[in-house]
Amino acid sequence: TPTPSAASGTPTPPSRRLLGSAFLQEFRNWETPWAMEAMHMVALEIRLLAEKADRELVMSGKNPDKLQAAGSFLMKVFGALAVKGPKRVGALYVTCQLFKIYFRLGTVNLCRSVIRSIETARNFDFEDFPVKDKVTYMYYTGRLEVFNENFLVADQKLTYALMHCNPQSESNLRKILKFLIPVKLSIGVLPRRTLLEKYNLLEYADIVTSLRRGDLRLLKQALDRHEDQLLKCGVYLVLEKLELQVYRRLVKKIHIIQREKEPSKAHQIKLEVLVKTLQWLGITMDVDEVECIMACLIYKNLIKGYFAHKSKVLVLSKQDPFPKLNGKPV
Amino acid sequence: MPCCCFLPLASLSHLLQVRPEDVLEKALHMVETSEKNYLYKCDQLKSIRQDLTVQRIQNELTVKVYETHARFALQAGDLSEYNQCQSQLTRLYGEGIAGCHLEFSAYNLLCVMLHSNNKRDLLSSMASLSKEARLDETVKHALAVHSAVSSGNYVMFFKLYKKAPGLNSCLMDLYVERMRFEAIKCMSKSYRPTVPVRYVTRVLGFTRVDVLCEANVADGLEECEEWLKAHGAVLTVDENSGELQIDTKVSSASLYMPEPDNAVSHGDASLAVDDFLARAS
């Protein structure tokens, strides 16, 4: 089979695809899945070639449509595998190839139909699939849940991927952690710095520090500095929402200091104290805004208590005023 | 000068009346300075757009036409027409044709964040902002609105609403009701025992811009009180000051979002169908 070459200008995925189609035709007819590995190889190569082809098309100013076409072909392959019988264990691999294509193209909404087939069809028993495919599958579906802000489900899936991932594969572990860490942060679980260093995820270091310290300015700086990267991998919006947790930490610190100075009155925090503290941290917010933030913290169960508008005092509950997030997202 | 009505392209007589570019430029100017209502302008602009499309004119004039139409649509609350124009503009700017691309970046951003629930679209709109765009005042304002909405900061939202540049306020308009309802739910849960209506009037944007005028403040108070009652808030009068208050604990159980009874498809309730039929030629 001819291989694509930059010299010839146009790569030859069409011929590759004809080969693929021919193979698929025969594969359907064979009863046993003896050629599964070969089928997978075909699927993988089609995707990689299509990606390369699209890159070359873009460079020569043409419309990159090869990857999309590869996606259509792989859906047919999936169809051939989503049948009763031994062939079905190969379906998850193809599903993952499809995920890679859809994520690359940005058409992640197309993932929905394959996910539905895998998760609801009676043909599949998830436990039957090979581990490496399950890890990849959980990684991608976990990422989708991050987009939908279903943090508890995202946590489950990404943690599964982390637990079952080959411990030697540092780059895969890093990929999973890149998405798992923001999810964990959203539910109040902070990673140790050693973890961030080990997997080279230091873009999260300042964010974690800002949560520990209650330092809003640091959070904003960190988001600004890594904005492009965080937007591109899609975790920016999730991290932005950590703002309220940072405020909460600040209020908690004030509470702790007040408790040391005057324990009987510690549960009452004057609004002016909050405004002054923020000013001292370099953040200018007027009283209305600070009051609003306090109201939001109470509303979202980050703080237990109430705000007395007339006396401008935040009154904390005497029991457990800063309830643990306990895995529940804000 | 012939004034074309918007007719299906199949009409041959229409094809014979397609106007050349310089005439279209004058027609655009006439629409811009016309005193007639939105439906009339919309009709005229669609006709200009069609004449441009038929002649395959894709230049700065085309951009100006879509920008003008988009702005009128925003002012009238016609989100679907605005979206049509925005997608054409995105395409034309992408081909390098000059126009107010920064202004429309901001509108696009606001539209995605306030009127669609699609996080991916929001992420890619934000990611595609150039360095230049991030320094533009209208875009910065839109990003600040995003920040406020993201953390539920209603005080910030209404502050930004009051001093919105360009037509940002028109896009925010369609989200005001929702933001106010979220705010009142938040306040009902977190304030005890009461919160003054005067305070709510101020922070939820019920007061007119000129707060030094007592009449404006009074109007705002009345509007706010009506709004609160329409959403199930329970009001009491403070014994000492005689001021109207929201009883937050009771209200938190009785708040609701009423059915919009004067919803119109193009958003401007003052434009009735009869108006369209009676338009002057």
Side-chain angles (χ1 to χ4, degrees):
Chain A
T1 15
T3 46
S5 74
S8 69
T10 334
T12 55
S15 1
R16 196 60 134 197
R17 205 161 6 107
L18 285 170
L19 168 73
S21 295
F23 185 80
L24 179 62
Q25 195 83 310
E26 291 306 310
F27 184 83
R28 275 194 230 262
N29 295 331
W30 297 322
E31 267 190 47
T32 63
W34 64 272
M36 187 65 74
E37 260 191 62
M39 188 76 249
H40 284 173
M41 203 69 232
V42 170
L44 176 65
E45 291 214 345
I46 293 249
R47 176 177 70 83
L48 293 175
L49 274 176
E51 281 178 11
K52 196 163 179 197
D54 271 3
R55 278 196 291 270
E56 296 198 13
L57 283 169
V58 168
M59 281 203 294
S60 54
K62 298 199 203 114
N63 188 31
D65 58 354
K66 300 295 177 208
L67 195 57
Q68 204 172 1
S72 308
F73 174 71
L74 286 182
M75 276 303 278
K76 291 203 196 107
V77 177
F78 180 81
L81 296 174
V83 293
K84 276 207 226 68
K87 282 187 193 162
R88 70 188 193 284
V89 290
L92 205 61
Y93 180 86
V94 178
T95 306
C96 295
Q97 294 301 314
L98 277 166
F99 283 162
K100 292 186 195 210
I101 292 178
Y102 294 146
F103 269 77
R104 178 67 68 110
L105 288 174
T107 54
V108 290
N109 48 310
L110 293 174
C111 296
R112 222 178 298 145
S113 62
V114 262
I115 293 175
R116 216 176 318 147
S117 304
I118 296 279
E119 296 190 353
T120 60
R122 275 169 300 180
N123 283 334
F124 300 119
D125 183 355
F126 197 70
E127 293 312 311
D128 287 344
F129 292 123
V131 177
K132 67 174 179 64
D133 292 342
K134 285 194 279 194
V135 169
T136 312
Y137 180 81
M138 284 299 200
Y139 166 72
Y140 280 106
T141 49
R143 280 181 66 180
L144 285 174
E145 298 295 351
V146 175
F147 281 135
N148 298 332
E149 297 192 350
N150 296 333
F151 296 129
L152 291 176
V153 184
D155 184 22
Q156 278 169 11
K157 295 194 178 229
L158 291 170
T159 304
Y160 180 102
L162 191 70
M163 293 298 166
H164 294 83
C165 182
N166 178 0
Q168 315 286 29
S169 172
E170 286 216 2
S171 77
N172 280 346
L173 287 169
R174 179 177 187 273
K175 279 189 195 157
I176 298 171
L177 283 168
K178 193 155 81 147
F179 294 95
L180 185 55
I181 289 174
V183 172
K184 288 287 193 195
L185 292 176
S186 300
I187 58 179
V189 177
L190 272 52
R192 291 208 196 98
R193 195 186 166 92
T194 45
L195 180 74
L196 297 177
E197 281 170 358
K198 182 171 180 192
Y199 293 100
N200 191 19
L201 287 167
L202 288 164
E203 60 263 34
Y204 293 135
D206 279 346
I207 295 175
V208 175
T209 310
S210 74
L211 281 168
R212 280 193 219 278
R213 278 202 230 151
D215 190 343
L216 195 73
R217 203 172 28 166
L218 187 59
L219 176 69
K220 289 202 191 282
Q221 279 172 358
L223 286 176
D224 257 340
R225 204 181 322 131
H226 301 287
E227 193 176 39
D228 290 332
Q229 201 181 0
L230 299 172
L231 279 171
K232 201 166 152 226
C233 68
V235 294
Y236 186 87
L237 298 177
V238 174
L239 294 169
E240 232 188 359
K241 284 197 160 46
L242 295 173
E243 186 180 286
L244 284 176
Q245 285 189 47
V246 175
Y247 280 115
R248 176 181 114 127
R249 180 74 190 147
L250 189 64
V251 177
K252 190 169 183 181
K253 280 179 136 178
I254 296 176
H255 173 64
I256 292 173
I257 294 172
Q258 284 191 185
R259 223 174 30 199
E260 285 176 9
K261 281 191 174 169
E262 207 182 333
S264 60
K265 288 242 202 99
H267 66 288
Q268 291 181 0
I269 303 182
K270 294 204 182 117
L271 188 61
E272 59 188 12
V273 171
L274 291 159
V275 175
K276 276 211 194 104
T277 312
L278 285 166
Q279 269 174 4
W280 184 72
L281 286 171
I283 299 162
T284 32
M285 280 169 76
D286 67 30
V287 286
D288 283 341
E289 277 182 66
V290 179
E291 192 174 320
C292 174
I293 298 281
M294 295 304 122
C296 287
L297 288 172
I298 299 169
Y299 182 51
K300 300 203 172 168
N301 296 314
L302 285 165
I303 289 184
K304 274 224 301 256
Y306 67 89
F307 193 84
H309 178 80
K310 221 179 193 176
S311 44
K312 300 271 180 228
V313 172
L314 171 67
V315 180
L316 299 170
S317 160
K318 295 213 176 135
Q319 273 183 353
D320 193 22
F322 302 98
K324 270 204 174 332
L325 284 158
N326 245 349
K328 280 192 286 249
V330 174
Chain B
M1 183 177 75
C3 202
C4 300
C5 293
F6 178 60
L7 292 169
L9 209 49
S11 162
L12 185 61
S13 58
H14 169 80
L15 285 172
L16 295 173
Q17 291 172 352
V18 170
R19 294 159 289 179
E21 200 174 322
D22 57 325
V23 175
L24 289 172
E25 189 141 9
K26 292 204 187 91
L28 175 64
H29 180 73
M30 271 190 65
V31 176
E32 278 173 328
T33 51
S34 159
E35 303 253 305
K36 303 215 173 94
N37 66 31
Y38 172 67
L39 284 169
Y40 169 80
K41 289 181 185 169
C42 195
D43 197 54
Q44 289 298 306
L45 285 163
K46 281 206 168 119
S47 161
I48 298 175
R49 277 161 58 177
Q50 186 164 314
D51 283 2
L52 287 169
T53 311
V54 163
Q55 297 171 85
R56 297 188 201 279
I57 300 174
Q58 307 252 287
N59 59 12
E60 288 177 20
L61 174 63
T62 321
V63 163
K64 272 204 207 122
V65 172
Y66 278 112
E67 285 176 350
T68 306
H69 201 170
R71 289 194 194 105
F72 283 140
L74 279 178
Q75 284 169 318
D78 186 353
L79 214 53
S80 80
E81 188 60 58
Y82 159 77
N83 278 324
Q84 272 186 48
C85 296
Q86 176 70 70
S87 54
Q88 290 301 319
L89 283 170
T90 308
R91 184 181 56 84
L92 292 163
Y93 294 145
E95 288 170 15
I97 304 172
C100 306
H101 62 286
L102 292 177
E103 181 190 343
F104 282 86
S105 277
Y107 299 156
N108 187 36
L109 207 54
L110 281 170
C111 203
V112 173
M113 78 174 78
L114 299 177
H115 302 292
S116 83
N117 214 5
N118 193 325
K119 300 286 191 290
R120 274 200 71 93
D121 280 349
L122 180 56
L123 282 163
S124 64
S125 297
M126 285 174 77
S128 65
L129 288 174
S130 64
K131 288 252 174 339
E132 185 200 3
R134 284 176 220 205
L135 297 172
D136 176 74
E137 284 308 311
T138 321
V139 174
K140 280 208 291 213
H141 180 270
L143 290 170
V145 172
H146 161 72
S147 192
V149 170
S150 172
S151 51
N153 189 338
Y154 46 85
V155 165
M156 181 53 95
F157 180 88
F158 285 100
K159 275 204 183 138
L160 292 166
Y161 182 55
K162 280 215 176 101
K163 48 180 174 119
L167 295 172
N168 286 9
S169 58
C170 295
L171 283 156
M172 292 174 80
D173 260 340
L174 303 164
Y175 197 79
V176 161
E177 170 71 5
R178 194 166 143 189
M179 195 57 168
R180 280 181 178 154
F181 190 65
E182 277 306 305
I184 208 71
K185 279 198 292 184
C186 174
M187 289 196 245
S188 295
K189 170 137 190 238
S190 47
Y191 282 84
R192 292 286 181 274
T194 57
V195 61
V197 172
R198 188 170 277 267
Y199 175 74
V200 174
T201 308
R202 184 163 59 81
V203 299
L204 294 189
F206 284 99
T207 39
R208 303 287 177 274
V209 182
D210 179 9
V211 289
L212 293 175
C213 170
E214 253 316 305
N216 280 341
V217 175
D219 277 342
L221 271 170
E222 204 183 305
E223 203 189 318
C224 180
E225 192 187 326
E226 249 184 70
W227 186 89
L228 286 168
K229 286 190 183 148
H231 289 77
V234 175
L235 307 179
T236 59
V237 178
D238 182 83
E239 312 169 324
N240 301 328
S241 61
E243 293 239 329
L244 204 56
Q245 311 271 337
I246 303 177
D247 185 333
T248 46
K249 191 160 183 189
V250 180
S251 297
S252 61
S254 61
L255 290 172
Y256 69 95
M257 183 71 118
E259 282 300 310
D261 53 12
N262 59 349
V264 186
S265 60
H266 54 71
D268 187 348
S270 67
L271 296 178
V273 176
D274 313 313
D275 215 19
F276 171 71
L277 293 172
R279 78 177 191 281
S281 58

